[in-house]
């Protein structure tokens, strides 16, 4: 997000710079037009005054043309940099959109997994309850078995005692 803001600031700065270059170019074009008008005046004066004034004006024109060429090449370089920045911004926007989609998918997956965990916890709790009930039933059955075995032993002991008391007779 910070990179996008930084890129937006750079883009604005580049746009400001480009517009400044355009204004400069227009100013130079206006200046060139004015110089062309001066040249016409100078030619008229040169016809009257001589070749020296003409050569000075031609020299000035060459300098301005060189300066204009330099400004134009800088403008082209700036425009290319602007296009590269635009391309990079589009790439970053696409990447940001892909990252957002991935984040949404991951959030959805995390939600599903959390729901599964919740379901598993409920199943575990239910299984633990069932196991506790079964264990209680087992312990109760075991206690009943032990009590029954104890009663059986006591009944056997009583039977033995009664058999002995009857004189060893059996039924």
């Amino acid at each position: 997000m910070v990179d996008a803001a930084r890129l937006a600031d750079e883009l604005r700065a580049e746009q400001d710079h480009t517009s400044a270059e355009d204004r400069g170019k227009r100013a130079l074009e206006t200046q060139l037009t004015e110089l062309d008008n001066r040249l016409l005046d100078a030619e008229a004066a040169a016809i009257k005054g001589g070749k020296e004034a003409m050569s000075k004006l031609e020299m000035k024109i060459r300098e301005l043309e060189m300066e204009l060429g330099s400004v134009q090449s800088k403008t082209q370089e700036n425009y290319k940099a602007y296009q590269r920045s635009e391309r990079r911004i589009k790439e970053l926007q696409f990447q940001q959109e892909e990252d957002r989609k991935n984040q949404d998918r991951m959030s959805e997956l995390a939600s599903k997994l959390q729901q599964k965990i919740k379901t598993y916890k409920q199943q575990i709790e239910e299984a633990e309850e069932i196991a506790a009930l079964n264990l209680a039933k087992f312990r109760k059955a075991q206690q009943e078995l032990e009590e029954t075995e104890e009663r059986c032993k006591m009944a056997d002991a009583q039977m033995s005692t009664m058999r002995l008391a009857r004189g060893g007779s059996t039924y």
Side-chain angles (χ1 to χ4, degrees):
M1 195 63 143
V2 174
D3 289 338
R6 184 180 54 77
L7 286 173
D9 289 340
E10 287 179 14
L11 176 62
R12 274 188 240 106
E14 197 63 38
Q15 288 172 339
D16 292 343
H17 181 70
T18 302
S19 64
E21 289 293 331
D22 287 340
R23 286 192 300 273
K25 181 180 177 184
R26 277 188 242 111
L28 287 174
E29 287 172 351
T30 305
Q31 188 179 6
L32 182 61
T33 305
E34 291 173 8
L35 288 174
D36 284 338
N37 291 335
R38 281 178 164 176
L39 178 61
L40 292 174
D41 294 338
E43 285 176 349
I47 291 172
K48 292 178 185 176
K51 292 185 179 181
E52 187 176 312
M54 181 69 95
S55 73
K56 285 182 182 179
L57 288 175
E58 286 175 355
M59 181 70 111
K60 184 70 174 167
I61 288 173
R62 278 191 223 103
E63 289 172 5
L64 288 173
E65 285 174 345
M66 287 178 16
E67 188 177 336
L68 178 62
S70 143
V71 168
Q72 285 175 336
S73 76
K74 285 181 183 178
T75 302
Q76 286 176 349
E77 290 173 11
N78 288 336
Y79 184 70
K80 286 179 184 177
Y82 167 76
Q83 287 178 328
R84 282 191 302 271
S85 296
E86 283 289 316
R87 192 176 317 117
R88 180 68 178 145
I89 288 171
K90 286 179 183 177
E91 289 171 358
L92 290 172
Q93 286 172 338
F94 177 76
Q95 183 179 357
Q96 180 183 18
E97 183 65 23
E98 288 299 312
D99 289 345
R100 187 192 57 76
K101 287 177 184 176
N102 285 336
Q103 183 180 5
D104 290 346
R105 279 188 231 126
M106 289 299 189
S107 295
E108 185 178 325
L109 181 61
S111 295
K112 287 179 182 178
L113 289 175
Q114 286 175 343
Q115 187 61 37
K116 279 186 179 180
I117 289 171
K118 186 177 179 182
T119 303
Y120 290 153
K121 282 182 179 179
Q122 287 176 345
Q123 290 173 352
I124 288 170
E125 287 174 3
E126 290 171 3
E128 286 175 347
E129 288 175 10
I130 291 171
L133 288 174
N134 288 338
L135 183 61
K137 287 178 184 177
F138 172 76
R139 287 184 180 155
K140 183 178 178 186
Q142 188 175 20
Q143 183 180 4
E144 288 175 359
L145 176 66
E146 288 173 0
E147 289 173 359
T148 304
E149 286 176 349
E150 187 65 33
R151 284 195 311 259
C152 183
K153 284 180 187 177
M154 287 171 44
D156 281 344
Q158 280 182 349
M159 285 286 279
S160 295
T161 309
M162 286 174 82
R163 281 185 192 149
L164 287 175
R166 287 190 182 190
S169 67
T170 58
Y171 293 104

